[in-house]
Amino acid sequence: MPQADPPHVLEIGDGERVESATAWREQRRPRLKALLRQYVYGYAPPAPRRRFDVDEVHESVFAGAATLKRIAIRFPDLPQAAPEIRLALFVPTETETPNPAVFGLNMAGNHTVADISHLSVPAWARERETAAEHLLERGERADYWQVRETIDRGYAFATACTWDIHPDTPEMGLTKYCWHHHGDVPGALRGGALAAWAWGISRCVEYLLEDPDIRDDAIAAFGHSRAGKATLLAGALDERIALVIPHQSGTAGVALSRREATASSGETVEQIATAFPHWFNGYYPMFATDVGRFPIDQHHLVALVAPRAILATESTPEADAWTNPNAARLSIRRASTVWDLREDQTLSDDEVSQEGGSIPDDAPPILHYRRDAEHTMTPEYWEAVYDFADQHLEHGSTPSR
Ligand code: GTR
């Protein structure tokens, strides 16, 4: 039966609700993961054997405040033509190692995140330059990423580019080679770009877990818009990610697909599935005009992050209607019930959503944080991210819950 309202987060289309954190973990999580793969994102291949090559170490960037490592994640069993994932990692030098880390999936190349000579514009970026896709120069996204401020807050910052993992076209990237190498799934169940990017984030996390400069219990993942959707998926599936920060992730991200109740006027499932079918599996577009037939909704994806931490940084419906901020807020509110299962408390709607300002000292582990800002990243959002991370990655002097 199609459902106009999102199903209760503890239900997945079978009318039954789990009542305990153990039942959620043992019965619901595995089924939910499978349903989200089958209806929305598709499957990603198993990870092939990989090698982490630290190709360069530059000890004095940001006037000595950080060390920059450039790492290539290579897959020796895949054909030569398979791309590698290039990771840039900035580690603070004035802190006690190991450090908490934020991984950010960028969409324009690692060279854009900071104006540092070691981050030269790679040849592939020049080759990709077309009339439609203009090349961003070194450091052109420095204001957006605020890497220096990240270092000053005592966090390492790691980044890799979506292009290395999946080119964001109907042609698949790295995961195509993995499927060929490891066997396949039926075409309609193969993951699209979002599943591939999430898969790539997990490979980067695996490097960070091996780097002695990084605390392995304090890895956060950040992504914006389409990268925010992929980051949420990665955070939902990969429990090694301690904190997930989907920024303005919208439809197929945090925002509910069933959104009548929220009067959201932004991107619909039909619009996203028509414009970007290659982001999804083959089935998602078939439900596009009738989302009530999905047994799940996006709050289920958010809930898979529990009991770890999630900060959904959002805009307002006035400033960024396309991302459906109200449908995102409702999704966070509905998902928070799963955090309640473990705690002797019920988070109220007000506790899990905040309009602007500073993050309170006792922020819950799931929070919708809203600013009246356009579809971009700003220093104010980063400040909220690091204030939240200080608490939930137990960093710095801020007390943790
Ligand atoms: C839009 C798309 C959104 C969002 C955005 C982006 O065109 O409709 O869902 O992902 O692109 O990634 O910037």
Side-chain angles (χ1 to χ4, degrees):
M1 261 275 270
Q3 275 184 292
D5 290 330
H8 190 282
V9 70
L10 301 177
E11 279 175 22
I12 46 176
D14 54 6
E16 271 178 43
R17 287 185 193 180
V18 292
E19 306 271 330
S20 71
T22 312
W24 168 265
R25 179 156 190 88
E26 288 172 8
Q27 297 159 23
R28 275 304 191 250
R29 270 195 117 254
R31 280 197 65 198
L32 258 183
K33 288 201 277 188
L35 288 172
L36 285 156
R37 294 276 198 205
Q38 288 161 13
Y39 283 88
V40 185
Y41 302 101
Y43 286 86
R49 195 162 65 85
R50 54 224 171 261
R51 209 177 65 215
F52 301 126
D53 295 326
V54 182
D55 289 338
E56 291 172 36
V57 178
H58 303 283
E59 286 191 335
S60 219
V61 303
F62 296 133
T67 296
L68 167 65
K69 302 185 196 182
R70 299 185 75 190
I71 300 114
I73 304 176
R74 300 193 165 102
F75 303 94
D77 296 339
L78 298 185
Q80 281 237 307
E84 58 195 31
I85 303 176
R86 285 155 286 209
L87 192 62
L89 172 63
F90 298 81
V91 181
T93 47
E94 282 155 28
T95 54
E96 245 176 67
T97 211
N99 304 273
V102 172
F103 171 83
L105 183 64
N106 75 71
M107 295 189 267
N110 295 353
H111 62 285
T112 64
V113 305
D115 188 6
I116 286 172
S117 59
H118 310 297
L119 293 175
S120 49
V121 181
W124 56 268
R126 297 222 180 272
E127 278 160 26
R128 200 175 155 122
E129 186 172 13
T130 60
E133 235 166 332
H134 111 106
L135 166 83
L136 294 187
E137 293 298 342
R138 195 178 73 209
E140 212 171 320
R141 286 280 163 86
D143 286 349
Y144 176 106
W145 286 103
Q146 300 281 322
V147 179
R148 175 67 214 248
E149 284 64 28
T150 305
I151 296 295
D152 289 345
R153 294 285 304 241
Y155 286 80
F157 177 77
T159 192
C161 181
T162 47
W163 296 358
D164 282 359
I165 305 160
H166 191 294
D168 203 359
T169 63
E171 176 63 23
M172 288 170 82
L174 189 46
T175 50
K176 170 184 71 186
Y177 295 95
C178 304
W179 281 129
H180 289 170
H181 186 70
H182 281 290
D184 214 331
V185 291
L189 281 176
R190 262 191 183 184
L194 295 175
W197 291 329
W199 177 97
I201 293 171
S202 288
R203 305 291 77 78
C204 295
V205 166
E206 279 155 10
Y207 169 76
L208 295 175
L209 289 169
E210 292 214 349
D211 189 312
D213 287 331
I214 305 301
R215 261 178 60 197
D216 56 10
D217 63 343
I219 297 173
F222 166 91
H224 179 205
S225 214
R226 69 195 70 185
K229 306 176 207 298
T231 299
L232 174 59
L233 180 61
L237 300 175
D238 190 336
E239 295 181 72
R240 301 168 299 184
I241 298 172
L243 162 62
V244 190
I245 310 143
H247 180 53
Q248 301 170 340
S249 61
T251 305
V254 173
L256 292 167
S257 302
R258 295 171 180 82
R259 58 201 179 84
E260 285 81 358
T262 62
S264 293
S265 60
E267 187 173 32
T268 62
V269 170
E270 188 176 9
Q271 284 166 325
I272 203 171
T274 306
F276 305 102
H278 65 274
W279 287 358
F280 303 99
N281 69 13
Y283 294 121
Y284 185 72
M286 297 181 192
F287 290 82
T289 53
D290 196 3
V291 294
R293 287 168 60 217
F294 284 125
I296 37 87
D297 209 318
Q298 296 305 113
H299 60 326
H300 286 113
L301 182 66
V302 172
L304 284 176
V305 177
R308 293 165 292 133
I310 177 166
L311 175 68
T313 45
E314 304 283 349
S315 184
T316 57
E318 294 73 30
D320 191 10
W322 191 241
T323 57
N324 294 307
N326 285 346
R329 181 167 57 194
L330 189 59
S331 172
I332 292 289
R333 286 177 172 174
R334 296 279 174 97
S336 67
T337 301
V338 176
W339 275 260
D340 290 340
L341 280 180
R342 293 183 125 231
E343 304 289 334
D344 195 13
Q345 64 174 17
T346 306
L347 289 166
S348 70
D349 284 358
D350 284 349
E351 280 174 296
V352 297
S353 53
Q354 192 187 327
E355 304 278 338
S358 307
I359 299 288
D361 281 349
D362 58 350
I366 171 168
L367 186 65
H368 169 97
Y369 175 81
R370 178 175 284 194
R371 295 193 72 86
D372 189 13
E374 286 173 11
H375 194 66
T376 189
M377 198 53 192
T378 65
E380 293 77 22
Y381 277 124
W382 281 120
E383 197 178 318
V385 165
Y386 290 112
D387 286 349
F388 189 85
D390 280 352
Q391 291 178 49
H392 293 288
L393 300 180
E394 300 186 17
H395 176 60
S397 53
T398 318
S400 63
R401 276 162 80 97

